Amino acid sequence: MQVLFVTSEVAPLIKTGGLADVSAALPTALRDMNIDVRMLLPGYPQVLQALVNLQVAADFPALPGFPPARLLVDVLPNGVPLWVIECPQLYQRGGGAYQDATGIDWPDNAHRFGLLSKIAAILSCAETPLDWKPDVVHCNDWQTGLTPAYLHFVAGAAPCVMTVHNIAFQGIFPSQLTTNMGLPEESFQPDGVEFFGDLSFMKAGLYYADHITTVSPSYAREIQTAELGFGLQGLLVHKRKVLTGILNGIDTKEWDPAADPNLVQPYDIKNLQGKSANKRELQNRMGLHINDKIPLFGLVSRFTRQKGLDLLLEVASQLIALPAQLVLLGSGDKEMERAALELAHQYPGQIAAFAGFDESLAHLIEAGADIFLMPSRFEPCGLNQLYSQRYGTPPIVHATGGLIDTVVDCNAVSLLRGDASGFIFNSMDAPSLLAAARRAVATYDDKKTWRLLQQNCMSKDFSWRQSAAAYHDIYAQLMRP
Ligand code: ADP
Ligand code: GLC
């Protein structure tokens, strides 16, 4: 079985969020199942610099609508073979994958990801210049959404799976780009790539894909509703028979408290002592009072309304009055970043904040915090609550999407059953979040129960094993004549 995995980010080369983690871990898990997975990625400077053995594999001097490009081949540090699209005019610049250094979307994103989609399609049909052709092409999010559309109109096309990691981001561009990027005129209609008069990459992917997956069973249901479908719920209801929710797993080697180089002391389920050394280190590094009596809340997140950052900033002063400490790591909305830094300034020693992206600090927070905060308004899957459970840091989560599929609320029944693993609040408001935080602090004060809760968290299996098998079954189904 040969699969082309098309993605716009992969850890550790280029990462803005969970998609990069999934793109690193899922192909590895699939390769462990003897699936020949290969990756296709845009040649951002971060990628070209990190790979040292790049060789030319093909030339695309004149794709209609796109600047000249070349396909380079190499292998990722994790052993997954990959092709990188070299196209200096579209990718060779400072800033990030989707935005410039000030957080503004690149004005040519349609072409940046149109080219990614186009080359993925070429490699997956009879036209391919390579001697390797996938049985299935696996697309991820809007950046790859035109691939199924291109493939619909060519000969010898591989079937496609489209995975939705977040339907709130859709890649919407002016209608004239449809034919400009080489899609037939007839694709621009409601039964096609058209979305309220514009070209939608996400809609294109969903409409033309042979199978749609998303990253949790609950989110698969939620995107079929007006509340969380962001205008695409009708199409998703229509395609519900080929829509599957498959929970993300995690890379259990990368995120392992017993062998994490970012921690000052390793620990595991049998010996949680080391966790307190990491708390002290975190307090020290972030300028918090060294205090092992009160709980430390931690958060690692993109700063957006999706993640409930607005709500968290609103209740921060009440959280530390429980009493507790709070550490925040994240970047995104500049106003939210400013508000977080302001809180740290206002409550020195009690609240600490770092505005930026810091992988190592993220690991230390998962380990050094006592309680993890994830008050997302909506959450397709979420990885941080999985990491936190693996690190014995029970999360407080809003009842939505992947969060309800991966966290079991702590109460008398779940404690007795032995699967309690965190605290869930139902209503997206301050009283509901604070009530969950109060329950968490009360449980933290009961050392024996807290230890049980931590052990439940740490004994859960969040590996990719089961979910990779679910993807395998979908590929196999699509390959059947
Ligand atoms: P999303 O993809 O919606 O941002 P996920 O929970 O799926 O949410 O994944 C987020 C990933 O990005 C995690 O690996 C998390 O640790 C990481 N992350 C987010 N913000 C930061 C940050 N400021 N510094 C370091 N890592 C971060
Ligand atoms: C998206 C979602 C997040 C999910 C990640 C990986 O960024 O917001 O919930 O975990 O993709 O699938």
Side-chain angles (χ1 to χ4, degrees):
M1 187 184 276
Q2 306 191 155
V3 176
L4 181 67
F5 191 89
V6 192
T7 183
S8 55
E9 49 183 281
V10 61
L13 306 191
I14 174 105
K15 166 165 169 175
T16 71
L19 173 59
D21 293 12
V22 171
S23 299
L26 173 58
T28 315
L30 292 167
R31 288 186 72 85
D32 288 345
M33 299 174 67
N34 282 323
I35 304 177
D36 180 7
V37 184
R38 306 191 187 185
M39 187 175 294
L40 179 69
L41 191 70
Y44 315 110
Q46 297 90 328
V47 171
L48 298 180
Q49 273 152 30
L51 299 167
V52 289
N53 294 313
L54 287 163
Q55 306 287 328
V56 179
D59 234 319
F60 298 100
L63 292 175
F66 297 102
R70 286 200 306 183
L71 199 61
L72 309 178
V73 63
D74 202 342
V75 178
L76 281 172
N78 65 12
V80 174
L82 92 161
W83 286 289
V84 174
I85 302 168
E86 185 190 49
C87 178
Q89 203 174 316
L90 291 178
Y91 304 132
Q92 191 63 41
R93 55 182 81 158
Y98 316 122
Q99 302 175 329
D100 67 17
T102 68
I104 311 277
D105 283 356
W106 294 115
D108 54 356
N109 270 346
H111 286 91
R112 285 162 66 79
F113 300 108
L115 182 66
L116 174 65
S117 299
K118 176 72 189 176
I119 292 186
I122 295 174
L123 301 187
S124 307
C125 72
E127 246 185 273
T128 179
L130 305 178
D131 55 9
W132 183 94
K133 184 179 162 247
D135 298 304
V136 176
V137 50
H138 187 158
C139 300
N140 293 280
D141 268 354
W142 74 262
Q143 291 85 351
T144 61
L146 294 192
T147 301
Y150 284 122
L151 282 175
H152 182 78
F153 297 98
V154 297
C160 3
V161 176
M162 175 81 199
T163 296
V164 177
H165 296 267
N166 193 337
I167 207 159
F169 300 104
Q170 300 187 348
I172 296 190
F173 301 100
S175 57
Q176 59 272 24
L177 291 181
T178 310
T179 46
N180 169 277
M181 290 193 295
L183 278 168
E185 181 101 51
E186 69 201 87
S187 67
F188 192 77
Q189 53 157 315
D191 281 336
V193 306
E194 189 266 356
F195 187 65
F196 294 101
D198 286 322
L199 159 65
S200 164
F201 275 50
M202 180 63 99
K203 165 120 186 256
L206 297 178
Y207 183 81
Y208 289 109
D210 298 288
H211 201 102
I212 300 168
T213 71
T214 188
V215 290
S216 70
S218 287
Y219 195 58
R221 284 189 296 276
E222 290 169 351
I223 55 177
Q224 295 179 56
T225 67
E227 199 192 340
L228 287 176
F230 288 84
L232 292 168
Q233 60 275 12
L235 174 56
L236 289 161
V237 169
H238 181 71
K239 293 193 76 167
R240 66 188 177 280
K241 292 215 172 69
V242 290
L243 165 63
T244 314
I246 303 176
L247 263 186
N248 283 336
I250 64 173
D251 182 334
T252 50
K253 287 201 194 90
E254 188 65 32
W255 295 90
D256 178 5
D260 187 331
N262 304 291
L263 309 194
V264 287
Q265 203 174 312
Y267 60 95
D268 59 31
I269 187 166
K270 287 192 224 81
N271 180 8
L272 271 153
Q273 287 311 321
K275 192 163 163 52
S276 38
N278 291 295
K279 178 173 180 178
R280 228 172 297 121
E281 170 66 14
L282 180 58
Q283 288 172 323
N284 188 30
R285 203 186 295 178
M286 297 302 290
L288 292 166
H289 297 140
I290 306 293
N291 182 338
D292 61 5
K293 298 285 182 300
I294 61 172
L296 171 53
F297 288 106
L299 169 134
V300 180
S301 181
R302 285 186 290 115
F303 280 9
T304 62
R305 260 179 68 78
Q306 177 198 337
K307 301 290 179 179
L309 250 285
D310 48 328
L311 179 60
L312 184 69
L313 294 168
E314 182 190 322
V315 302
S317 62
Q318 295 169 75
L319 281 179
I320 56 170
L322 287 173
Q325 295 178 332
L326 174 62
V327 58
L328 307 170
L329 164 62
S331 60
D333 183 287
K334 295 296 164 214
E335 189 50 38
M336 289 176 178
E337 288 183 8
R338 200 198 49 74
L341 295 173
E342 174 59 32
L343 276 167
H345 185 71
Q346 212 177 332
Y347 300 100
Q350 295 174 278
I351 300 182
F354 179 75
F357 204 92
D358 187 333
E359 189 77 36
S360 171
L361 183 57
H363 283 247
L364 186 64
I365 292 176
E366 298 285 4
D370 296 299
I371 301 164
F372 196 81
L373 288 165
M374 199 136 169
S376 308
R377 204 159 258 113
F378 66 93
E379 193 62 76
C381 178
L383 297 175
N384 279 307
Q385 84 284 9
L386 306 180
Y387 300 147
S388 84
Q389 289 176 77
R390 183 152 165 83
Y391 280 66
T393 309
I396 295 178
V397 303
H398 178 223
T400 185
L403 300 178
I404 24 178
D405 293 346
T406 55
V407 177
V408 177
D409 188 56
C410 177
N411 54 44
V413 178
S414 60
L415 277 171
L416 204 63
R417 225 173 28 221
D419 61 0
S421 71
F423 302 86
I424 301 183
F425 65 99
N426 288 307
S427 156
M428 195 63 197
D429 53 41
S432 187
L433 170 53
L434 281 168
R438 252 180 245 113
R439 282 199 292 134
V441 171
T443 313
Y444 175 83
D445 289 337
D446 170 1
K447 290 298 164 217
K448 228 174 103 200
T449 307
W450 192 255
R451 185 51 57 97
L452 275 179
L453 188 62
Q454 288 181 304
Q455 285 167 344
N456 289 349
C457 288
M458 296 178 83
S459 61
K460 285 198 187 182
D461 177 9
F462 291 122
S463 73
W464 270 104
R465 207 174 31 87
Q466 266 190 25
S467 298
Y471 281 106
H472 169 275
D473 292 349
I474 289 172
Y475 302 153
Q477 200 182 313
L478 290 178
M479 283 169 64
R480 249 174 253 140

